Amino acid sequence: MSTANIKRVKSSEIELKDRLVSIQRVAKVTKGGRTFSFSAIVVVGDEHGVVGYGLGKAKEVTEAISKGVDDAKKSLVKVPVLKGTVPHAAHGKFSGGYVFIKPAAHGTGVIAGGAMRAVLESAGITDVLAKSKGSSNPHNVVKATIDALTKMRDAVSVAQQRGVSLDKVFNG
């Protein structure tokens, strides 16, 4: 993953909405019995192209969620959103999770599975076709989706990078 086009965002500047993707009860076995704790994957976004994810672990569910939100605010990235959809098709990969994201016409809606849907809706994408392949583990799917979104570039950034006009990007 190239880090050249990833734009980090400060969480203090924007109003963020959090969304719980998954919560797991995990157990540690000790000589005194099982000790239960919770891990929560949370996605935060402003629904205008800024999104981030985080993992929180604690003895209580609410504590785990709030720790996840704090962690997610540290990993915010800006993604291009064009008329409610993505600029072009992209593949994302993280560990065993593979995702494919494709632009869709206005009115299509978010056609995506659980963990992917949370990320795409938090980013403010309203019309998209997406497919998750490989691992269905929410950790891997969320990270693969973020990977696919960070690989996307809008026409303005492509023109700027190549040093040509927007007209030349579209018409050659």
Side-chain angles (χ1 to χ4, degrees):
M1 183 171 86
S2 69
T3 55
N5 61 337
I6 298 174
K7 293 178 185 71
R8 293 258 175 223
V9 182
K10 294 259 191 287
S11 62
S12 57
E13 301 164 5
I14 43 180
E15 182 68 34
L16 297 168
K17 293 180 182 149
D18 56 279
R19 186 168 247 180
L20 183 65
V21 175
S22 162
I23 192 142
Q24 301 267 253
R25 187 181 79 166
V26 292
K28 180 173 80 170
V29 181
T30 59
K31 66 179 184 181
R34 292 187 191 99
T35 307
F36 293 109
S37 64
F38 296 89
S39 73
I41 309 166
V42 183
V43 174
V44 298
D46 70 343
E47 297 180 351
H48 294 291
V50 175
V51 68
Y53 67 91
L55 175 66
K57 297 177 181 180
K59 299 271 186 216
E60 301 288 327
V61 175
T62 52
E63 233 178 288
I65 293 168
S66 65
K67 281 184 180 181
V69 170
D70 292 342
D71 189 36
K73 287 179 181 176
K74 294 174 189 169
S75 70
L76 292 175
V77 290
K78 179 94 175 115
V79 296
V81 179
L82 237 60
K83 297 178 185 169
T85 189
V86 291
H88 56 85
H91 293 272
K93 178 186 182 302
F94 185 86
S95 188
Y98 300 89
V99 298
F100 175 64
I101 300 172
K102 190 166 117 173
H106 179 70
T108 305
V110 177
I111 312 294
M116 263 177 103
R117 176 180 289 270
V119 175
L120 295 169
E121 287 177 351
S122 293
I125 297 166
T126 55
D127 303 298
V128 70
L129 300 169
K131 181 66 183 163
S132 173
K133 302 176 212 164
S135 171
S136 60
N137 179 346
H139 293 268
N140 293 338
V141 173
V142 166
K143 290 173 187 174
T145 307
I146 297 277
D147 179 46
L149 290 174
T150 52
K151 286 178 181 175
M152 297 206 179
R153 303 185 303 167
D154 58 343
V156 176
S157 68
V158 171
Q160 207 171 31
Q161 189 176 12
R162 292 180 189 171
V164 295
S165 67
L166 264 173
D167 189 47
K168 190 155 177 86
V169 170
F170 287 113
N171 301 327

